[in-house]
């Protein structure tokens, strides 16, 4: 039985990302964040407020950034180590390869999110309503495509390894810590930080996932979701444009 | 019947200013091993990239397996195999690279398993099959890259310098394997710097320099045409060698190939005449000849002669 080409590409992408390093990055790192940050900050909080309960949906949304990073690195490595050119002189088209990467980001984001949900349920048991679960998954889907696109854009534009690494680390840091993944947005923040928070898609993804997790929906969720989807679409188009214009191999 | 590859007046420029391939025309016949020979940057890989649909030619007419690479790239790619000059592999085990490649090409699982075992054995990869490609040597990676290409069926195979980094014994085995595949009907386009390989393997070769074909014929014919001469190898002391080589170039023109500032090769029809001239010029320019020898010209000399003429 021969599977469609896109499925074959997707399978290949997932198989080459099952090395120990990537698995640690996808599952181990968020778990460490959850445990260390969760228990660390919990000790500061007075009364019965649960920081772990706040952090869990943040970490779930953080998975979208991780999934996007893995996907961006994949394009980078395939350009650097010749597999992109090899696939494109084989039975695949450029668009199939791009769709394969986007789907990889999607699957890694959802799978990573589900794993973290299981891990978090051991640390902090919490009931999630079906509608809340659906909201979370939807936000993770959009987030994974969003960060997949952002990282693909960087991979397609950058030619040197050092530049790529520097930009990638900066994007991860800024997205992660200038968002509501680890702490809530506050008007008391300095203005530049407030701007960063509000310009960061992970803030909205994190807010939506958190509202789904807590079962506290509002019209704001719909607005945030629409805003993130629109930004994602723009990023997807920009990354596709950069990818189609990029040289197949880096130097 | 259409030939598997037909190229007519192909031109390609990456920047719109300088042509890296210019007016190239050739045909590759079914079941032949066709060699593209030339120095680095001669345009060989660009031609391969056009034929394998990786880049669109600036102008010219190209047909691969009866299809136009620009319009019907997908149909071509389904029937060709390509071993690129640059490395290409997934960062997983050697064995898994075979599995993935077979899967990507849609090869039936049991057939893929059979081919993998056969290729691992014939390419001497048994001892490293469980190793990650990051942990194997450059030569082993190259062997994997070439072997992996035989996981799928094809009508036309492009081999862009496939033997770089491979040891002598494995290289000969690889060349034999390629020869065997050609005898079975596979058409092969092969680029190399190694003239021994071209001599051993290719039915016909095109010698390329600066994007143009300088000569195209069977290896035997090229040798007959260009090597009905002798090669005089000359080694001189560095002092005054420049003056000597200048004088020699005035007499021998493109038949003189200066290897470096102390070595040169002169292609001559009559060495009995040439040697006294060389000695005389050396004496006049104050150069000291350290070594001089006369031998029959080889394919390498043909290439050197053509390339030095082109430059």
């Amino acid at each position: 039985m021969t599977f469609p080409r896109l499925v074959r590409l997707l399978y290949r992408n997932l198989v080459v990302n099952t090395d120990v390093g990537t698995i640690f990055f996808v599952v181990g790192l968020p778990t460490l964040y959850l445990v260390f940050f969760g228990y660390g900050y919990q000790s500061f909080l007075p009364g019965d407020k649960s920081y772990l309960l706040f952090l869990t949906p943040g970490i779930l949304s953080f998975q979208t950034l991780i999934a996007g990073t893995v996907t961006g690195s994949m394009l980078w490595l395939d350009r650097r180590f010749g597999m992109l050119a090899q696939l494109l002189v084989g039975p695949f088209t450029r668009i199939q390869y791009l769709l394969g990467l986007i789907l990889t980001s999607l699957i890694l984001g959802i799978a990573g999110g589900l794993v973290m949900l299981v891990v978090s349920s051991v640390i902090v048991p919490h009931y999630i309503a079906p509608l809340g679960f659906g909201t979370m998954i939807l936000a993770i889907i959009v987030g994974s495509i969003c960060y997949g696109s952002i990282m693909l854009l960087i991979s397609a534009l950058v030619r040197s390894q050092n530049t790529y690494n520097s930009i990638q680390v900066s994007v991860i840091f800024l997205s992660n810590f200038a968002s509501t993944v680890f702490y809530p947005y506050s008007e008391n923040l300095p203005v530049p930080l407030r701007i960063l928070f509000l310009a960061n898609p992970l803030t909205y993804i994190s807010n939506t996932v958190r509202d789904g997790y807590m079962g506290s929906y509002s019209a704001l969720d719909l607005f945030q979701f629409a805003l993130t989807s629109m930004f994602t679409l723009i990023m997807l188009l920009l990354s596709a444009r950069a990818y189609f214009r990029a040289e197949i191999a880096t130097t | 019947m259409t030939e598997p590859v037909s190229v007519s007046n192909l031109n390609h420029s990456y920047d719109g200013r300088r042509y890296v391939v210019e007016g190239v025309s050739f045909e590759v016949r079914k079941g032949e091993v066709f060699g593209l020979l030339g120095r680095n940057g001669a345009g060989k890989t660009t031609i391969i990239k056009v034929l394998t649909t990786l880049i669109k030619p600036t102008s010219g007419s190209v047909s691969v397996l009866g299809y136009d690479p620009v319009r019907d790239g997908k149909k071509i790619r389904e029937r060709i195999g390509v071993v690129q000059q640059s490395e290409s592999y997934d960062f997983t085990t050697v064995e898994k690279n075979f599995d993935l490649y077979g899967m990507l090409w849609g090869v039936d699982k049991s057939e893929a398993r059979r081919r993998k075992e056969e290729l691992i054995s014939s390419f001497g990869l048994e001892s490293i099959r469980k190793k990650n490609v990051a942990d194997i040597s450059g030569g082993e990676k190259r062997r994997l890259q070439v072997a992996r290409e035989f996981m799928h069926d094809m009508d036309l195979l492009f081999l862009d310098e496939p033997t770089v980094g491979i040891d002598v014994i494995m290289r000969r085995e690889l060349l034999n394997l390629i020869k065997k595949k050609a005898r079975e009907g596979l058409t092969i386009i092969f680029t190399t710097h190694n003239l021994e390989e071209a001599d051993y393997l290719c039915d016909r070769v095109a010698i390329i320099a600066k994007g143009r074909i300088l000569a195209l014929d069977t290896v035997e014919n090229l040798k007959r045409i260009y090597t009905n001469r002798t090669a005089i190898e000359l080694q001189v002391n560095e002092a005054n060698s420049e003056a000597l080589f200048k004088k020699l170039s005035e007499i021998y023109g493109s038949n003189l190939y200066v290897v470096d500032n102390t070595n040169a090769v002169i292609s001559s029809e009559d060495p009995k005449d040439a040697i006294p001239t060389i000695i005389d010029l050396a004496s006049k320019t104050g150069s000291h000849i350290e070594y001089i020898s006369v031998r029959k010209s080889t394919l390498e000399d043909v290439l050197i002669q053509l390339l030095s003429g082109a430059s």
Side-chain angles (χ1 to χ4, degrees):
Chain A
M1 184 188 167
T2 307
F3 290 101
R5 288 187 172 90
L6 192 57
V7 177
R8 282 185 252 158
L9 277 173
L10 185 59
Y11 177 74
R12 176 249 170 193
N13 293 351
L14 293 173
V15 168
V16 295
N17 278 311
T18 51
D19 61 294
V20 180
T22 311
I23 290 173
F24 176 77
F25 186 55
V26 172
V27 181
L29 188 66
T31 305
L32 290 179
Y33 268 128
L34 190 64
V35 171
F36 283 80
F37 275 65
Y39 286 108
Y41 284 107
Q42 182 67 62
S43 58
F44 283 104
L45 283 180
D48 58 352
K49 281 189 178 172
S50 172
Y51 178 66
L52 275 163
L53 215 53
F54 175 84
L55 183 61
T56 298
I59 293 296
L60 295 181
S61 51
F62 172 49
Q63 283 294 345
T64 63
L65 177 59
I66 287 183
T69 306
V70 173
T71 305
S73 298
M74 186 134 204
L75 173 61
W76 174 262
L77 290 173
D78 280 348
R79 286 178 77 203
R80 172 69 184 81
F81 293 100
M83 272 312 285
L84 175 60
Q86 194 64 45
L87 292 168
L88 297 183
V89 292
F92 303 100
T93 60
R94 268 197 166 205
I95 188 84
Q96 282 170 340
Y97 178 82
L98 181 69
L99 286 174
L101 286 181
I102 295 289
L103 282 175
T104 304
S105 184
L106 200 69
I107 288 177
L108 287 177
I110 294 173
L114 290 176
V115 170
M116 286 318 297
L117 206 55
V118 172
V119 171
S120 67
S121 70
V122 176
I123 297 170
V124 51
H126 176 74
Y127 171 75
I128 306 162
L131 183 62
F133 184 76
T135 308
M136 287 162 60
I137 293 292
L138 215 59
I140 288 174
I141 287 174
V142 173
S144 302
I145 299 174
C146 178
Y147 277 102
S149 304
I150 292 171
M151 295 303 187
L152 286 177
L153 181 67
I154 298 166
S155 290
L157 292 177
V158 175
R159 288 177 66 90
S160 96
Q161 177 99 53
N162 287 344
T163 313
Y164 177 73
N165 289 344
S166 307
I167 295 176
Q168 193 190 54
V169 169
S170 307
V171 170
I172 292 173
F173 182 86
L174 283 173
S175 299
N176 224 357
F177 295 108
S179 76
T180 52
V181 165
F182 292 99
Y183 21 72
Y185 172 76
S186 164
E187 292 294 337
N188 297 329
L189 285 167
V191 175
L193 271 183
R194 265 191 279 163
I195 294 169
L196 272 178
F197 261 71
L198 294 174
N200 186 351
L202 199 55
T203 293
Y204 306 106
I205 295 161
S206 180
N207 288 348
T208 311
V209 172
R210 188 164 288 122
D211 286 343
Y213 186 75
M214 300 293 191
S216 54
Y217 324 101
S218 68
L220 187 67
D221 286 313
L222 267 179
F223 174 71
Q224 289 187 358
F225 186 73
L227 202 68
T228 319
S229 301
M230 210 144 69
F231 180 76
T232 299
L233 186 66
I234 293 167
M235 281 297 125
L236 186 60
L237 292 174
L238 285 177
S239 68
R241 186 168 177 264
Y243 160 77
F244 279 104
R245 286 178 164 203
E247 280 177 37
I248 287 166
T250 57
T251 46
Chain B
M1 203 185 108
T2 339
E3 301 291 4
V5 175
S6 172
V7 176
S8 173
N9 200 24
L10 174 69
N11 298 291
H12 189 75
S13 167
Y14 287 102
D15 57 9
R17 292 192 299 272
R18 194 178 67 88
Y19 280 88
V20 289
V21 172
E22 214 170 345
V24 165
S25 301
F26 64 90
E27 283 187 341
V28 181
R29 298 163 194 155
K30 186 167 168 42
E32 85 170 331
V33 182
F34 185 84
L36 290 171
L37 262 76
R39 300 173 69 181
N40 291 330
K44 306 184 298 288
T45 299
T46 301
I47 294 171
I48 297 278
K49 281 182 176 174
V50 169
L51 298 178
T52 56
T53 79
L54 267 184
I55 54 173
K56 288 177 187 168
T58 307
S59 64
S61 154
V62 179
S63 161
V64 179
L65 299 168
Y67 297 108
D68 178 345
V70 178
R71 282 203 318 266
D72 307 308
K74 207 167 152 222
K75 285 177 186 159
I76 292 171
R77 291 196 303 272
E78 281 169 357
R79 291 172 56 195
I80 61 170
V82 184
V83 175
Q84 300 178 87
Q85 195 185 97
S86 52
E87 56 187 10
S88 78
Y89 38 76
D90 281 316
F91 278 96
T92 177
T93 63
V94 167
E95 201 170 41
K96 197 141 257 177
N97 263 277
F98 280 101
D99 292 336
L100 284 174
Y101 211 66
M103 182 276 301
L104 284 167
W105 273 93
V107 181
D108 175 72
K109 221 170 178 182
S110 59
E111 176 61 13
R113 204 174 303 128
R114 189 192 67 74
R115 285 186 194 185
K116 175 180 79 175
E117 293 306 325
E118 193 183 300
L119 291 165
I120 283 179
S121 160
S122 57
F123 279 82
L125 299 167
E126 192 60 56
S127 62
I128 56 162
R129 65 187 294 163
K130 301 277 182 205
K131 283 190 178 177
N132 191 296
V133 286
D135 301 323
I136 63 177
S137 72
E140 287 166 339
K141 279 178 191 159
R142 196 69 181 147
R143 262 150 60 197
L144 162 66
Q145 201 179 335
V146 178
R148 191 186 58 176
E149 206 52 46
F150 292 104
M151 282 295 287
H152 65 96
D153 295 322
M154 66 197 97
D155 296 319
L156 175 62
L157 174 62
F158 294 88
L159 295 165
D160 199 356
E161 299 187 20
T163 54
V164 172
I166 295 182
D167 65 67
V168 190
I169 294 167
M170 190 45 73
R171 191 169 71 193
R172 183 45 69 96
E173 283 176 17
L174 172 62
L175 295 180
N176 286 340
L177 193 118
I178 296 168
K179 243 184 180 175
K180 186 172 159 247
K181 292 281 177 189
R183 274 201 298 271
E184 288 167 5
L186 180 64
T187 308
I188 296 168
I189 296 184
F190 179 85
T191 78
T192 183
H193 295 300
N194 190 319
L195 299 161
E196 270 175 61
E197 282 179 8
D199 205 355
Y200 183 74
L201 194 65
C202 298
D203 298 301
R204 290 188 306 142
V205 295
I207 297 175
I208 301 174
K210 295 182 175 176
R212 290 173 177 274
I213 291 184
L214 302 179
L216 194 166
D217 213 326
T218 61
V219 174
E220 284 311 308
N221 276 348
L222 282 174
K223 276 188 192 168
R224 202 173 307 128
I225 296 164
Y226 291 94
T227 63
N228 195 15
R229 311 165 69 95
T230 47
I232 303 167
E233 285 183 336
L234 185 65
Q235 190 180 8
V236 295
N237 192 294
E238 203 169 340
N240 301 323
S241 63
E242 202 182 324
L244 173 64
F245 291 157
K246 197 178 167 197
K247 286 278 177 203
L248 287 172
S249 84
E250 284 167 11
I251 299 172
Y252 295 103
S254 65
N255 288 321
L256 170 77
Y257 173 66
V258 179
V259 182
D260 53 36
N261 54 359
T262 58
N263 290 282
V265 180
I266 297 164
S267 173
S268 165
E269 280 176 9
D270 188 1
K272 280 182 196 154
D273 255 10
I275 288 175
T277 310
I278 295 166
I279 293 170
D280 184 43
L281 283 174
S283 148
K284 280 179 183 163
T285 55
S287 310
H288 174 68
I289 296 176
E290 291 185 338
Y291 170 86
I292 190 163
S293 79
V294 178
R295 59 169 171 76
K296 203 171 174 349
S297 289
T298 61
L299 187 60
E300 190 170 327
D301 296 316
V302 175
L303 188 70
I304 288 171
Q305 196 181 333
L306 283 165
L307 296 182
S308 57
S311 62

